[in-house]
Amino acid sequence: MEVAFYATLERLVGQRRVELPLAPGATVRDLTEALAATWPELAEHLFEAQGELSRRVNIFVAGRNVRWLKGLETRVEEGDSVAIFPPVAGG
Amino acid sequence: MKLSDFGQSIAHIDLSTGNCRVESAPQDWVEKFIGGRGLGVRYALEAGPEVDPLGPENRLCFMNGPLTGSEASMSGRWACVTKSPLTGTVTDSHQGGWSACRLRWAGLDGLVFEGQAENPVYAFIEDGEISLRDAREVWGQGVHATVAFFRERYGKKNLSVNAIGPAGENQVLFAAQVNEDDRAFGRGGTGAVAGSKNLKAIVIRAGQKKSEVSDSKAWKEARRQALDTIRDEANITSPRKGGLSVYGTNVLMNVTNTIGALGTRNSQLNSFGERAETISGEWVEQNLLVNDPTCHACPVACKKEVEIKDGPWAGLRMESVEYEPAWSLGSNCDNSNAASIAKVIDQCNDQGMDPIELGNAFSVWMEASEKGWVDEGEELAWGDEAAMVALTDAVAAREGVGAILADGPTRAAESLGHPEIAMAVKGQAVPAYDPRGLKGMGLGYATSNRGACHLRAYVAAAELGVVPSEADPLAWEGKGELVKTFQDLHAFSDSLDLCKFSAFAEGAEEYARQFAVAMGKEFEAEDVMLAGERIYNLERYFNNLAGFGRGSDTLPARFTEEPSTAAGSKGHVSELDRMLVEYYAVREWDEGVVPKVKLQALGIL
Ligand code: SF4
């Protein structure tokens, strides 16, 4: 499964796209845990203290912020793009 | 510089007679409308909402806010308020750089121009004195040459030049005014109003002054609290860590593309696919960035200076490839070359034009060319960068097709018999957020008092999950109240006048605290929201008197009838009618018209 990182998170990970050994149907929780295991410094961006998704990150599955889907329980299906951003805005 | 004296030194300059007097603003106006945008609108209203925007009766008001030029973070701004020749509404635009601060340091709080000079003039301001001087030598010159001319004449030290370019002189309806070479009063055509008055520039010489506040300890503390929020690593403003600070506004490009809210080919599509990458903030930062300039008292430094290294525009050094023009001249025109975007932005800075409006005029002409509605020999192909560069100068000069586009995309589309292809509200083109993928932004465009605008209600901050009041971008329910809250908060910050981006960190509490201490009076967060609401209603009242009644708050049918085809927003249209019902209810307006009882309750009548 391919995950794309943008803005300051791309800097932190050191690359735009990473490949994770996860099959379609995996949840965002599986995905974030796999990421945190590979990049421990990402963990503080991904999770609040109680293992909830942090406000310092926005994860989009097929263009939808998982906050408006099922959060960490959102499933990533075959063909879904996954993009991870820090909060970004401008004007 | 005693901050609580704000409002006591407003200069009135009659360009027809050359008379100039400095007087205090009515105390009641300063209390109710704060400064900046609010006070400017009150002065513009005084000229009458029915004036011809390009006639001598229209007022061109430059207004500082009570915090302008102080040590408060992001306080280097002023508002330019007038009746817009583009929309016929009242309009306000804000500018970074240092002109605003220098006006304050020179001892003035605002400038109200009316009349029309017989020959081109510029206003020279120093030590509270204003003189009108002959500008014939620089008439016809671009902004860059005009700035260089005045620096040569008066020296660079402590000098700011706010100027129009040929576009303003030729009354291009979306002409801008630019200070420090590249910080603009961008939208609404304030440059055309200056041009109609034969006012080439405002040149101000003043060194920095320290603020005097009766409770200096409280002032320091209020500023520290605000600065702490700006520096907080959780906020996008965090210096060198937050997305806005590192990449500038164009950090947005990839996210709006991801969620299907990046209008492409005149909003016929909702995503630019992989081509968004090469016009994004990340790409610019990795390939073109050479410097991170800032504004007065701002640790964020969101300005991004770039240098083009190769190709036809090699050697061009300019700021900034902001998100808005990167969209309007980029995906909107099917152009994925950041170098040509930088080139046209720099031309806009020099000619003095709004690149959002220009990009929309191009995309109207491109769509019309594709559909065969343009005469042979006048077509413009999607993504034709060289033609865009050439046409930019032709628009400023009002030559050939440029003369049609100089009246903006709405009139250009009307001239072709196809008004439906202008993506505009009240005659002003939409900015870079497709309302099918960010529903609250669409309601914000429709109800903005200056025509389509992202900044009056920047609810994208909530819809993109940047501020705590987050909201699902695809839900329409609840957007009425959200848009009202953001419009009122920003009406206040635009009146203080702090940079809009302060709201990514600060809120009503921080604004109230700094304002209260600066002015030496009681002022709470709820007073911020009430003053913001009053200012928003004042603008709406102006527009109602200027002929914008029921049914004026609209969106182009493309957004309400043609579903999105992009991932993230697929199948969605804007449910504008439903959102408007909610919005008018919370505003207590009658279908877009402010009732008398509301005006009385807010102290406007
Ligand atoms: S955030 Fe950007 S635009 Fe605002 S004051 Fe700072 S540098 Fe200027």
Side-chain angles (χ1 to χ4, degrees):
Chain A
M1 180 179 295
E2 191 180 80
V3 178
F5 290 92
Y6 291 91
T8 46
L9 292 180
E10 180 185 5
R11 278 187 167 186
L12 197 148
V13 171
Q15 60 204 83
R16 168 61 59 85
R17 287 172 210 285
V18 303
E19 194 63 39
L20 294 177
L22 291 173
T27 63
V28 171
R29 184 182 299 281
D30 299 332
L31 186 146
T32 47
E33 282 172 359
L35 289 170
T38 314
W39 288 278
E41 63 278 27
L42 248 188
E44 62 168 303
H45 290 263
L46 293 171
F47 304 112
E48 301 288 2
Q50 295 80 19
E52 294 296 309
L53 200 55
S54 164
R55 270 204 60 233
R56 290 173 63 186
V57 72
N58 286 308
I59 303 179
F60 298 87
V61 172
R64 288 285 282 151
N65 192 328
V66 299
R67 251 175 249 292
W68 312 116
L69 302 172
K70 291 185 178 153
L72 286 168
E73 305 317 319
T74 304
R75 289 191 184 280
V76 184
E77 304 295 353
E78 182 92 49
D80 284 348
S81 66
V82 181
I84 306 189
F85 287 80
V88 291
Chain B
M1 188 175 86
K2 201 168 160 196
L3 295 187
S4 60
D5 283 348
F6 176 77
Q8 291 182 16
S9 305
I10 309 285
H12 295 257
I13 304 125
D14 186 333
L15 291 161
S16 299
T17 61
N19 284 343
C20 184
R21 63 177 204 283
V22 176
E23 59 184 43
S24 189
Q27 191 51 34
D28 175 50
W29 290 11
V30 178
E31 269 175 24
K32 284 180 179 158
F33 306 114
I34 311 297
R37 171 173 161 190
L39 193 56
V41 175
R42 189 62 191 84
Y43 273 106
L45 179 68
E46 206 63 4
E50 284 164 5
V51 295
D52 169 6
L54 298 175
E57 308 79 26
N58 193 15
R59 286 183 166 183
L60 187 63
C61 312
F62 297 83
M63 212 50 71
N64 275 349
L67 297 187
T68 303
S70 72
E71 295 80 9
S73 295
M74 299 167 141
S75 63
R77 298 182 94 82
W78 58 346
C80 183
V81 184
T82 190
K83 183 174 175 180
S84 163
L86 185 71
T87 61
T89 64
V90 70
T91 194
D92 66 293
S93 196
H94 301 251
Q95 198 187 53
W98 278 265
S99 284
C101 303
R102 295 204 199 285
L103 185 74
R104 187 91 189 258
W105 300 336
L108 294 172
D109 299 323
L111 309 168
V112 179
F113 290 93
E114 52 192 28
Q116 185 174 48
E118 204 176 321
N119 290 307
V121 293
Y122 67 96
F124 183 79
I125 298 169
E126 189 169 36
D127 291 334
E129 298 288 324
I130 302 150
S131 55
L132 294 177
R133 301 183 181 180
D134 193 337
R136 278 176 291 190
E137 260 182 283
V138 278
W139 196 254
Q141 298 288 320
V143 168
H144 298 333
T146 303
V147 170
F149 172 88
F150 286 117
R151 282 183 180 159
E152 176 76 28
R153 176 169 287 185
Y154 295 110
K156 221 173 152 183
K157 193 166 178 231
N158 296 334
L159 195 80
S160 278
V161 179
N162 175 62
I164 60 170
E169 296 172 11
N170 296 325
Q171 298 177 28
V172 170
L173 295 187
F174 50 92
Q177 302 173 75
V178 184
N179 87 143
E180 327 292 6
D181 276 313
D182 34 40
R183 312 289 173 87
F185 289 123
R187 304 222 72 190
T190 66
V193 177
S196 74
K197 296 188 175 310
N198 267 330
L199 179 66
K200 177 69 181 175
I202 299 168
V203 180
I204 312 171
R205 186 158 60 188
Q208 184 157 7
K209 298 256 182 349
K210 204 171 166 337
S211 307
E212 289 168 42
V213 174
S214 54
D215 187 343
S216 57
K217 214 169 136 202
W219 174 234
K220 206 170 164 189
E221 180 57 17
R223 286 189 289 116
R224 189 194 58 76
Q225 287 177 357
L227 186 57
D228 282 351
T229 67
I230 292 166
R231 286 194 178 137
D232 187 331
E233 284 190 28
N235 288 326
I236 64 170
T237 48
S238 177
R240 290 177 295 283
K241 295 204 170 96
L244 179 67
S245 179
V246 176
Y247 302 96
T249 54
N250 202 10
V251 69
L252 273 162
M253 186 67 71
N254 281 316
V255 78
T256 51
N257 192 48
T258 297
I259 65 170
L262 186 67
T264 297
R265 287 191 169 223
N266 203 31
S267 300
Q268 295 180 95
L269 301 170
N270 321 82
S271 149
F272 203 29
E274 290 185 358
R275 296 174 68 206
E277 173 58 24
T278 54
I279 57 171
S280 70
E282 288 93 328
W283 194 91
V284 170
E285 192 261 346
Q286 285 155 18
N287 295 281
L288 304 178
L289 185 74
V290 287
N291 196 11
D292 306 88
T294 191
C295 301
H296 166 75
C298 179
V300 183
C302 81
K303 302 292 103 188
K304 301 295 157 201
E305 192 172 349
V306 304
E307 189 173 320
I308 307 303
K309 308 215 169 58
D310 44 36
W313 305 293
L316 171 69
R317 202 174 160 123
M318 57 77 68
E319 67 171 81
S320 296
V321 183
E322 304 278 357
Y323 172 59
E324 286 297 334
W327 163 77
S328 66
L329 302 160
S331 66
N332 179 50
C333 289
D334 208 5
N335 173 21
S336 54
N337 183 0
S340 64
I341 292 170
K343 172 65 185 168
V344 178
I345 296 170
D346 190 56
Q347 286 174 285
C348 283
N349 288 341
D350 196 33
Q351 298 281 7
M353 284 193 292
D354 170 12
I356 301 179
E357 211 69 35
L358 182 71
N360 276 278
F362 285 163
S363 63
V364 158
W365 210 252
M366 288 169 174
E367 182 176 342
S369 300
E370 183 185 35
K371 291 184 166 156
W373 300 334
V374 169
D375 289 344
E376 208 180 318
E378 293 190 339
E379 301 96 335
L380 184 60
W382 290 112
D384 185 342
E385 307 158 66
M388 286 163 70
V389 168
L391 200 44
T392 298
D393 290 339
V395 171
R398 284 188 170 273
E399 284 170 1
V401 172
I404 303 169
L405 303 188
D407 287 338
T410 302
R411 290 170 177 85
E414 281 167 3
S415 77
L416 295 165
H418 288 282
E420 73 281 4
I421 64 167
M423 297 303 109
V425 178
K426 300 183 180 75
Q428 179 159 285
V430 299
Y433 308 78
D434 191 311
R436 288 164 287 196
L438 289 158
K439 305 264 169 105
M441 288 301 278
L443 179 62
Y445 292 175
T447 58
S448 152
N449 287 326
R450 66 170 194 173
C453 172
H454 55 300
L455 294 168
R456 305 305 88 182
Y458 195 75
V459 290
E463 295 187 307
L464 292 172
V466 171
V467 295
S469 53
E470 35 186 58
D472 184 347
L474 294 184
W476 65 266
E477 297 94 335
K479 294 292 162 72
E481 182 145 16
L482 188 74
V483 165
K484 174 191 180 289
T485 302
F486 274 66
Q487 285 172 338
D488 292 348
L489 183 69
H490 293 324
F492 186 83
S493 67
D494 282 345
S495 300
L496 270 182
D497 182 337
L498 295 181
C499 173
K500 184 81 52 173
F501 301 154
S502 63
F504 293 141
E506 300 180 51
E509 298 280 344
E510 286 80 12
Y511 294 154
R513 205 177 292 122
Q514 293 174 91
F515 178 64
V517 179
M519 300 303 277
K521 63 181 196 180
E522 299 279 313
F523 207 81
E524 307 287 341
E526 64 210 48
D527 300 318
V528 164
M529 299 312 293
L530 180 63
E533 183 181 15
R534 184 182 299 118
I535 292 162
Y536 212 81
N537 278 266
L538 177 74
E539 293 171 341
R540 181 54 64 131
Y541 175 53
F542 182 115
N543 290 348
N544 291 155
L545 294 174
F548 293 88
R550 291 181 179 78
S552 299
D553 296 332
T554 59
L555 280 178
R558 182 159 287 169
F559 299 133
T560 55
E561 290 172 10
E562 296 176 21
S564 164
T565 52
S569 61
K570 199 167 188 164
H572 279 264
V573 292
S574 169
E575 293 90 346
L576 178 65
D577 290 346
R578 291 170 171 186
M579 290 190 285
L580 277 176
V581 170
E582 237 187 52
Y583 177 81
Y584 291 148
V586 287
R587 276 273 176 227
E588 301 173 291
W589 287 354
D590 178 9
E591 302 268 320
V593 176
V594 199
K596 198 170 169 193
V597 46
K598 182 78 187 173
L599 292 167
Q600 286 167 333
L602 289 169
I604 293 170
L605 283 187

